[in-house]
């Protein structure tokens, strides 16, 4: 598990949903915990507020002292996010309590160490008037075919037209994935050369010499030398982050203006306009 506050988050949708249910009560966004596909068991030792699953499918409920929260293996997707009313208490590093394991920053101990059995997570006190949940139309189904939107740009003008169109026409498969990026597998693309490294952003789609695209994610590097085909739509990065190995997906182009409008609509839905 990993604590996170604001960034880096791989799946924005559930993390934002959980924080929004909390924020409506305490008017603040808080740290949450990313849970892997293998599940987790937590026991409440000190707090009278929290979230638990007690034989019923709920998004938010009260965890009483001595009760155990058990999250099993995922049915779809590969990550979940656990938020508590009031938020988890942890020391801030560079303005965030996000846990960056690779660089050894943040997290529960401030040194980037991932959570492990026996760790105690302090929570801020907060009132919880009653249970709440995300409306079912807004609960994503990660088992569905993934059609991801791409803002074409970067070095796209240097790709041969048939290669660029082929990227959108072909089926791709998740070959490898971690918090740094997702490596795809499929019919190789022929990428143009690049003479120098440039800054890269979240969702940047790199095409290395082997022609298998790499989509950069939350723990990406800051510069890269591979040609850039474009950027994954900000609201589709979470969908890619929930794709397990060998999951099939395709891409479709989207304009920058449409992507910006959809992102603003997303923030307005959660009261962040």
């Amino acid at each position: 598990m990993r604590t996170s506050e604001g960034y880096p988050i791989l799946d924005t949708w559930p993390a934002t949903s959980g924080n929004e249910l909390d924020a409506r009560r305490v008017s603040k966004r808080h740290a949450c915990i990313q849970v892997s596909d293998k599940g987790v068991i937590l026991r409440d030792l000190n707090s009278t507020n929290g979230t638990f699953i007690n034989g019923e499918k709920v998004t938010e409920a009260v965890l009483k002292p001595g009760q155990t929260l058990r999250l099993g293996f995922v049915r779809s997707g590969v990550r979940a996010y656990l938020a508590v009313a009031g938020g988890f208490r942890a020391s801030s590093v560079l303005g965030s309590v996000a846990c960056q394991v690779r660089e050894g920053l943040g997290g529960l101990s401030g040194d980037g160490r991932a959570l492990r059995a026996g760790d105690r997570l302090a929570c801020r006190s907060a009132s919880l008037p009653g249970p709440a949940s995300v409306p079912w139309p807004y609960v994503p189904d990660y088992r569905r075919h993934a059609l991801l939107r791409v803002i074409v740009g970067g070095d796209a003008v240097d790709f041969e037209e048939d290669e660029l169109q082929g990227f959108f026409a072909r089926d791709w498969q998740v070959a490898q994935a971690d918090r740094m990026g997702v490596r795809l597998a499929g019919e190789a693309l022929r990428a143009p050369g690049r003479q120098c490294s440039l800054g890269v952003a979240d969702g940047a789609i790199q095409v290395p010499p082997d022609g298998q695209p790499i989509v950069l994610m939350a723990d990406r590097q800051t510069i890269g030398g591979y040609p850039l085909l474009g950027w994954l739509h900000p609201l589709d990065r979470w969908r890619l982050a929930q794709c397990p190995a060998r999951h099939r997906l395709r891409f479709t182009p989207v304009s920058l203006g449409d992507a910006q409008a959809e992102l603003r609509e997303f923030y307005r839905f959660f009261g962040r306009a």
Side-chain angles (χ1 to χ4, degrees), residues 90-269:
S91 298
S92 175
V93 177
L94 299 178
S96 174
V97 299
C99 180
Q100 236 293 4
V101 176
R102 192 179 69 246
E103 272 73 36
L105 296 172
L108 184 62
S109 304
D111 58 359
R113 177 181 64 79
L115 295 179
R116 60 193 179 200
D119 282 346
R120 294 193 177 191
L121 304 176
C123 304
R124 297 183 178 91
S125 60
S127 62
L128 187 65
S133 61
V134 177
W136 69 265
Y138 299 102
V139 177
D141 182 0
Y142 299 122
R143 295 167 296 185
R144 296 180 59 185
H145 178 76
L147 180 62
L148 308 179
R149 295 162 293 179
V150 172
I151 304 167
V152 178
D155 300 304
V157 294
D158 296 325
F159 280 77
E160 295 292 337
E161 183 62 24
D162 59 340
E163 292 298 310
L164 188 60
Q165 295 304 317
F167 171 76
F168 294 106
R170 299 169 190 170
D171 285 329
W172 297 95
Q173 195 174 45
V174 174
Q176 295 176 292
D178 58 19
R179 289 182 54 85
M180 187 173 181
V182 177
R183 183 181 294 273
L184 305 178
E187 184 181 344
L189 298 173
R190 293 193 305 274
R194 167 78 77 74
Q195 298 299 318
C196 60
S197 295
L198 296 175
V200 291
D202 287 347
I205 302 174
Q206 296 182 317
V207 183
D210 65 2
Q212 306 298 330
I214 301 171
V215 184
L216 301 183
M217 303 297 278
D219 286 357
R220 59 174 172 76
Q221 71 276 19
T222 57
I223 61 173
Y226 295 142
L228 293 180
L229 188 148
W231 298 268
L232 196 62
H233 191 304
L235 295 182
D236 285 356
R237 290 200 300 266
W238 64 265
R239 182 65 182 88
L240 179 60
Q242 293 287 6
C243 290
R246 296 182 295 279
H247 190 89
R248 292 190 178 277
L249 48 89
R250 296 190 74 170
F251 297 93
T252 186
V254 64
S255 71
L256 176 60
D258 287 345
Q260 290 173 331
E262 290 157 357
L263 187 60
R264 285 194 293 266
E265 181 180 356
F266 173 84
Y267 285 131
R268 281 195 297 268
F269 178 82

Side-chain angles (χ1 to χ4, degrees), residues 44-108:
D44 180 33
L45 298 176
N46 303 306
S47 175
T48 59
N49 298 310
T51 304
F52 78 107
I53 299 176
N54 191 23
E56 297 181 4
K57 185 177 181 180
V58 297
T59 302
E60 183 172 326
V62 176
L63 178 64
K64 299 178 180 179
Q67 288 184 322
T68 299
L69 165 66
R70 184 187 299 269
L71 300 179
F73 287 85
V74 298
R75 294 183 178 179
S76 68
V78 294
R79 295 176 175 86
Y81 290 85
L82 175 65
V84 298
F88 295 104
R89 289 205 308 265
S91 298
S92 175
V93 177
L94 299 178
S96 174
V97 299
C99 180
Q100 236 293 4
V101 176
R102 192 179 69 246
E103 272 73 36
L105 296 172
L108 184 62

